[in-house]
């Protein structure tokens, strides 16, 4: 459904992103600790959640102008990175990266995410007639989807650990909340947009 909405664009895409941005922002506000300044937390949430995800609107408009698929590549790249990281982390296990923040994150999982992102972007570039990525583009996108995405996941884990909760909410029934699903995407949106603007817009 998400892939169809991204490809369709237009009003349905704006409503889709807008709805999940609002839900993620509400969940972020729920992580506020009692001693934290409310105004500061609201401002942080606006920058961290709302402005970051609003980059998707601009990126999708660029896709319309260039007849490209950067929004789809971002979404699928981040999701597949998380999937491969989960698979490698569970199959291999090994040394933890930040056990005090997120005890399930391992170096094997991080490597798996890199592998997954790399394979995806290479296949995406090969089969997509609208996108002709250079080697530097592939390297940068792999870095954003894997490393920056991992940092986004780690940051949200830190916020939940500070609030002493396991999930940002129970909205997705067994999969946590919207913020749990979008944590990697939130941090990868701005650098992806900035890179696309710098490299592909005249």
């Amino acid at each position: 459904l998400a892939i169809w909405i991204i490809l369709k664009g237009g009003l349905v895409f704006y409503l889709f992103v807008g709805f999940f941005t609002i839900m993620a922002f509400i969940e972020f506000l729920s992580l506020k600790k009692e001693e934290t300044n409310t105004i500061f937390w609201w401002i942080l949430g606006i920058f961290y959640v709302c402005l970051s995800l609003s980059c998707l609107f601009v990126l999708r408009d660029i896709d319309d102008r260039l007849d490209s698929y950067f929004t789809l590549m971002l979404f699928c790249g981040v999701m597949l990175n998380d999937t491969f990281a989960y698979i490698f982390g569970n199959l291999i296990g090994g040394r933890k990266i930040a056990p005090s923040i997120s005890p399930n994150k391992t170096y094997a999982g991080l490597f798996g995410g890199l592998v997954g992102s790399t394979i995806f972007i290479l296949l995406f570039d090969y089969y997509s007639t609208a996108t002709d990525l250079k080697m530097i583009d592939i390297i940068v996108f792999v870095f954003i989807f894997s490393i920056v995405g991992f940092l986004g996941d780690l940051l949200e884990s830190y916020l939940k650990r500070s609030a002493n909760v396991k999930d940002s909410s129970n909205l997705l029934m067994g999969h946590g909340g919207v913020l749990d699903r979008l944590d990697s995407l939130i941090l990868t949106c701005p650098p992806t947009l900035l890179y696309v603007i710098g490299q592909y817009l005249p």
Side-chain angles (χ1 to χ4, degrees), residues 13-58:
F13 176 78
Y14 279 82
L15 292 175
F16 179 75
V17 174
F19 171 77
F20 283 105
T21 298
I22 292 171
M23 295 306 301
F25 179 65
I26 292 173
E27 291 179 1
F28 175 83
L29 294 180
S30 71
L31 299 179
K32 174 184 172 297
K33 294 185 290 186
E34 291 185 3
E35 65 271 18
T36 305
N37 183 279
T38 302
I39 297 177
F40 167 78
W41 197 252
W42 268 75
I43 294 174
L44 179 61
I46 290 172
F47 276 91
Y48 169 59
V49 178
C50 300
L51 289 184
S52 293
L53 290 177
S54 67
C55 291
L56 291 171
F57 297 137
V58 183

Side-chain angles (χ1 to χ4, degrees), residues 99-181:
S100 61
I101 298 176
S102 182
N104 295 323
K105 299 291 186 299
T106 64
Y107 286 98
L110 181 61
F111 175 75
L114 282 167
V115 171
S117 295
T118 303
I119 293 174
F120 166 73
I121 292 179
L122 289 173
L123 291 174
F124 188 88
D125 182 45
Y126 181 80
Y127 286 104
S128 174
T129 57
T131 308
D132 184 20
L133 300 178
K134 303 178 180 64
M135 182 55 66
I136 184 62
D137 299 334
I138 293 173
I139 293 172
V140 170
F141 285 132
V142 167
F143 175 82
I144 292 175
F145 299 165
S146 298
I147 306 303
V148 178
F150 167 77
L151 293 176
D153 194 343
L154 204 62
L155 174 59
E156 201 248 351
S157 294
Y158 170 76
L159 293 173
K160 290 190 296 184
R161 182 60 62 102
S162 299
N164 197 31
V165 296
K166 181 179 182 296
D167 297 316
S168 58
S169 78
N170 295 318
L171 182 66
L172 302 180
M173 296 177 294
H175 293 275
V178 173
L179 196 62
D180 296 316
R181 297 301 95 202

